[in-house]
Amino acid sequence: MTTASAKVLYARRTAGFDDRVAHAAAVLQSAALDHAGRIVFATSFGAEDMVLTDLIARHQLGIAIATLETGQLHAETLALLPQVEQRYGIAVEVFRPVQDSVIHFVRSHGERAMYDSIALRKACCGVRKMEPLARLLAGREAWISGLRREQSNTRAVVPFREVDGEGRIKVNPLADWSWADVWHYIETHDVPYNPLHDAFMPSIGCAPCTRAIAVGEDFRAGRWWWEDEAQKECGLHVRKADERVAEPA
Ligand code: SF4
């Protein structure tokens, strides 16, 4: 596996960085106050999510932190969970798929069903991600994500606060951050991160559905690379641009 330090490659201080950090913290603080005890941060332990974890812990915002353990994550991703708990003194809530559903899906469609059709790939995401996400969000008024406008065309209009398809408030504190901002924050605050980022995987999901990208490839080119760009969401953050209902941050 070819590696190069993501911090060396990407971290760069650009104009307005301090303002973007302060704004992200303010968005988080405001959301924590508005939805005290009923707000959750759904982390995938990607670079953006590590920044958000650090901000939540640094400002002691009392926002629950939870993750989806799909049963298909890389060992490097799984190893971050105890590391985060130890570093920040927090307990991460872990939501796993229903075992019987996974067994039934694999028996019916095979271990590599995600490559056979978009419908089967989405069905796999349904069993391993969407159903556990519904449990993760049950009883919460608001959730936080690490979406950034720069990540892909389908995310180019991400607002700081929006209403999701279920009527829940979704907060995207890093909406205006660049990839250089994310890594500058990680570098300057010594934030732990997934070593797969050093192996040219900017966007990390389940192991069968993530590959390294080549120079010049799009940020999310390594996710579901056998599908069209427009299909490349697992359902967690699906929203057509003209369906977004933004709220003022
Ligand atoms: S990302 Fe791939 S392995 Fe993970 S749930 Fe979706 S289809 Fe299944």
Side-chain angles (χ1 to χ4, degrees), residues 48-98:
E48 292 90 347
D49 290 355
M50 297 310 300
V51 169
L52 287 169
T53 301
D54 190 89
L55 283 168
I56 289 168
R58 186 175 295 274
H59 296 283
Q60 302 182 343
L61 297 179
I63 294 172
I65 300 183
T67 194
L68 304 176
E69 207 289 72
T70 64
Q72 293 278 20
L73 299 179
H74 299 87
E76 292 88 342
T77 306
L78 292 172
L80 267 174
L81 199 156
Q83 207 181 332
V84 162
E85 291 187 320
Q86 195 174 1
R87 161 78 180 258
Y88 297 107
I90 56 173
V92 177
E93 301 173 25
V94 180
F95 290 81
R96 296 185 172 84
V98 175

Side-chain angles (χ1 to χ4, degrees), residues 70-73 105 111 113-115 120-130 205-210 223-224 226-227 234:
T70 64
Q72 293 278 20
L73 299 179
F105 182 84
E111 295 275 1
M114 65 286 286
Y115 305 121
L120 282 175
R121 196 274 288 168
K122 289 189 172 175
C124 182
C125 285
V127 168
R128 293 185 183 274
K129 290 183 171 178
M130 298 310 292
C206 294
C209 300
T210 303
R223 301 291 297 280
W224 306 295
W226 61 96
E227 295 181 2
C234 58

